Amino acid sequence: MNQDLSIFSLIAHASFVVQIVISLLLLVSLISWSVIFSKLFSLARIKTHNESFEQEFWSGTNLNDLFSSVANKTDGAPLERIFASGMREFMKLRERRVNEASVLLDGARRAMRASFQRELDAMESNLSFLASVGSVSPYIGLFGTIWGIMHAFVGLSNLTQVTLATVAPGIAEALVATAIGLFAAIPAVLAYNRFARQIDRSAITLETFIEEFSNILQRNVGTPVAQSAVR
């Protein structure tokens, strides 16, 4: 009599502990894929918006007009929010009659660095979850496999004659847990590495902008903000 060794049959006939392990891994994998797609679209949108703002910024637009257009945006690019925070602090210090160049630039730079850290934290959200899935899932699957093999051998101890046909189903049921653990871990690790590289490139873009904008503010310290332009 041929035994059904399909993946669904093996899961259905596995021990309760192995079924719990498999269910946990499938749930983790589902959440992981949700995070992967969300982060994929989010980072692509950030890159597009940053590039759009950079084009506008370097087109020679008046700084005051540019600030007015992005100051109240809630869904803008990270570059827009960093620019707005630096410009806002620069203008506040100007309004307080602060004319010392070093004070103006330090204030604007601190505001932009704080905004940069917030943007970086937002981009890195859920990356730790993917890292955890990638590192822990294989071990959870291995635990299910070991438990399943133990359960299979305990069952075989009651048989008078043990053949490959009697051993194979129990071992196969146990190995399913390891396979699903790898199924959960591999995409998480690949996605984590890709997103980490993308975030590093975005961070370099943001830091470069901070330095370039600081230089522009330094050149415009003695110029009324309303007359200042990117140059």
Side-chain angles (χ1 to χ4, degrees):
M1 181 177 178
N2 292 329
Q3 298 184 16
D4 185 3
L5 295 181
S6 67
I7 184 74
F8 299 107
S9 177
L10 292 174
I11 294 174
H13 292 90
S15 67
F16 179 72
V17 173
V18 175
Q19 288 179 340
I20 292 295
V21 169
I22 290 174
S23 298
L24 176 62
L25 289 172
L26 290 175
L27 177 61
V28 167
S29 179
L30 181 63
I31 298 173
S32 175
W33 277 106
S34 175
V35 170
I36 289 171
F37 281 113
S38 175
K39 186 65 66 177
L40 190 66
F41 292 126
S42 173
L43 293 179
R45 184 171 61 251
I46 286 173
K47 180 181 179 181
T48 300
H49 288 180
N50 279 344
E51 290 175 350
S52 177
F53 176 74
E54 274 195 300
Q55 289 180 354
E56 184 179 7
F57 181 82
W58 293 111
S59 65
T61 306
N62 180 276
L63 289 178
N64 198 45
D65 293 341
L66 187 59
F67 174 70
S68 299
S69 67
V70 305
N72 298 319
K73 277 189 177 182
T74 57
D75 59 345
L79 278 182
E80 290 177 332
R81 289 187 285 270
I82 289 175
F83 163 76
S85 62
M87 194 69 180
R88 187 180 296 110
E89 184 65 20
F90 187 81
M91 293 173 68
K92 283 181 180 178
L93 293 174
R94 278 283 191 87
E95 291 172 358
R96 295 174 185 172
R97 306 296 181 183
V98 176
N99 296 316
E100 189 175 347
S102 61
V103 177
L104 289 169
L105 294 175
D106 286 346
R109 186 184 291 272
R110 282 196 301 270
M112 287 191 288
R113 295 299 303 183
S115 180
F116 164 78
Q117 192 58 54
R118 288 193 296 270
E119 298 297 335
L120 190 60
D121 290 342
M123 286 189 288
E124 290 179 341
S125 63
N126 294 325
L127 273 191
S128 59
F129 173 77
L130 292 179
S132 298
V133 171
S135 61
V136 174
S137 292
Y139 294 104
I140 296 176
L142 183 60
F143 167 76
T145 294
I146 293 173
W147 187 277
I149 291 175
M150 290 170 55
H151 182 266
F153 277 110
V154 169
L156 292 174
S157 64
N158 299 321
L159 299 178
T160 56
Q161 183 179 3
V162 178
T163 64
L164 182 60
T166 57
V167 174
I171 302 300
E173 292 168 8
L175 292 175
V176 169
T178 295
I180 295 179
L182 294 175
F183 173 78
I186 292 173
V189 171
L190 293 176
Y192 174 84
N193 290 335
R194 174 176 177 175
F195 295 150
R197 288 193 298 270
Q198 287 182 293
I199 291 172
D200 285 343
R201 288 195 293 267
S202 295
I204 291 173
T205 298
L206 299 181
E207 288 184 315
T208 301
F209 175 81
I210 290 174
E211 295 302 319
E212 291 173 336
F213 185 45
S214 296
N215 292 334
I216 292 171
L217 289 178
Q218 186 175 18
R219 292 196 294 268
N220 287 281
V221 165
T223 305
V225 176
Q227 300 176 9
S228 301
V230 179
R231 62 179 185 272

